DNA sequence: CAACATACCGTCGGCCTGGACTGTTTGTGA
DNA sequence: TCACAAACAGTCCAGGCCGACGGTATGTTG
């Protein structure tokens, strides 16, 4: 049988289906970013994905189903990227500074580079990613949309838990203060990220993050309260 | 002429106009809270305000104009309440604890009550107010709505500046670390407030705020890093 | 090869939205 | 007292949205 003819790369149904599915989800996230949740209509998504209307509703029978799928997809991506970055960080710290791969802005002259620096980078990288804005759209929409709400609650709780566990793994969790400090860091950077909605330049945001990075050792008792500013 | 007949409390045009205007704005904020920005239609607002359709469009010729007015109105209210609370706090601290008026949850047994406790209360009261959720709707909507964006940017910058100045006034601004710590507090509590979108109970939120309250003295050098948790 | 299942496509109707329009009542100035 | 302005009210229309439906092409199974 001429099943696997290389000249004609006829994909199987499963492959085709998965491909268009991801195309739809990518298009939806992009629309969420550019147009927001309310303006992310089926027509908009269909046009971006380059599909026909019926195709869209074949994969996702309703708009709500599409949004639910986006929530799960985005959460999975975020956690995947997070784990990837954490793994890279773990390998880098295992090699104990073989080379300045990540290269933060300024050479940290006092301390080589604590696990907390990596932790802050980890959280900040997640929140600075444009996809966070898409997540924000979904959060706010979920507040008044029961369908979204019912699925977004559990998903985001899992995300939070995984983020905490991952970050705690980077800094080491023997200290009882770690959990609270991770929470501080996540909340503080989240709040700072909100500033981007009002001030898109993000200059104030960067300054706050940098100062928080220097304040953390004080709360751990590794630095004096007079030195962090 | 029967102009000022007390039995018929006929309000002047200016009074009537102002009254319906605030009714419309109140109804819009309420709808923003319950239904969100996208579902806050003219019909919804009209129905809540108990007015005819034409009346609404007489005061606010377009939906965008209505939202702009809401942005300014809500900002003014927030700042008004903030100043009021700050004034009450200043008077209370001037009387130097004549009575436990505000009465926070637990008796702060170590320290009587620092200015920072009041500052945290001030920020937290603002963010815990339901109207913050309405503001959040407008923030997120403004990200993809140029009309809203152009007016919300300057307004919120003014709000930020006023909040910082007010809070700094409560704690005293001789210490150079005050500005940064106020920023930390605002951002941290803002991020914690975001958690309510996912976990409406807000239990985690309260815990974080309480711990931040105890962490602040450490960053000011007034407490040891081992004592705050 | 035949029959079926599934991916893909285009069109239609019902619904709701925002804004324009005309008409009515009430206050104010000449 | 009269004339004008402004608050208030009801109706209409174009446009966009979602979801249902019937139809076609492609892959899979017996």
């Amino acid at each position: 049988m001429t099943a696997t003819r290389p000249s004609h790369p006829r994909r199987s149904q499963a492959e085709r289906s998965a491909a268009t599915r991801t195309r739809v989800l990518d298009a939806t996230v992009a629309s969420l970013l550019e147009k927001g949740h309310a303006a992310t209509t089926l027509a908009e998504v269909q046009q971006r994905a380059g599909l026909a209307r019926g195709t869209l509703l074949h994969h996702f029978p309703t708009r709500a189903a599409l949004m639910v799928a986006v929530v799960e997809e985005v959460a999975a991506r975020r956690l995947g990227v997070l784990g990837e970055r954490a793994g890279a960080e773990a390998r880098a710290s295992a090699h104990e500074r073989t080379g300045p791969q990540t290269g933060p802005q300024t050479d940290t002259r006092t301390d080589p580079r604590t696990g907390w620096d990596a932790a802050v980078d980890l959280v900040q990288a997640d929140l600075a990613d444009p996809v966070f804005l898409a997540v924000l759209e979904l959060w706010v929409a979920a507040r008044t949309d029961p369908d979204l709400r019912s699925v977004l609650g559990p998903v985001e709780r899992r995300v939070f838990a995984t983020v905490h566990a991952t970050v705690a793994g980077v800094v080491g969790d023997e200290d009882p203060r770690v959990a609270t400090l991770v929470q501080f860091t996540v909340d503080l950077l989240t709040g700072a990220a909100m500033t981007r909605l009002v001030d898109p330049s993000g200059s104030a945001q960067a300054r706050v993050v940098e100062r928080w990075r220097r304040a953390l050792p004080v709360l751990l008792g590794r630095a004096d309260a007079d030195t962090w500013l």
Side-chain angles (χ1 to χ4, degrees), chain A residues 119-173:
Chain A
V120 172
D121 285 345
L122 227 52
V123 177
Q124 175 65 7
D126 184 40
L127 293 174
D129 194 302
V131 81
F132 171 72
L133 295 175
V135 173
L136 190 59
E137 293 279 341
L138 294 170
W139 278 6
V140 173
R143 190 180 71 85
T144 51
D145 182 339
D147 286 337
L148 257 185
R149 181 172 198 76
S150 62
V151 64
L152 193 136
V155 167
E156 287 300 319
R157 268 191 283 275
R158 271 202 353 250
V159 170
F160 279 9
T162 306
V163 167
H164 273 248
T166 305
V167 174
V170 168
V171 298
D173 51 355

Side-chain angles (χ1 to χ4, degrees), chain A residues 16-70:
Chain A
R16 289 175 63 187
S17 183
T20 58
R21 184 188 158 89
T22 60
R23 270 174 69 189
V24 169
L25 292 178
D26 287 345
T28 307
V29 172
S31 173
L32 241 38
L33 278 175
E34 285 183 30
K35 304 294 188 74
H37 175 262
T40 296
T41 72
L42 294 186
E44 179 73 27
V45 173
Q46 170 216 337
Q47 200 171 343
R48 285 175 183 264
L51 297 174
R53 182 165 190 81
T55 306
L56 192 55
L57 270 73
H58 171 69
H59 285 269
F60 303 97
T62 165
R63 200 188 106 108
L66 173 60
M67 289 300 170
V68 168
V70 168

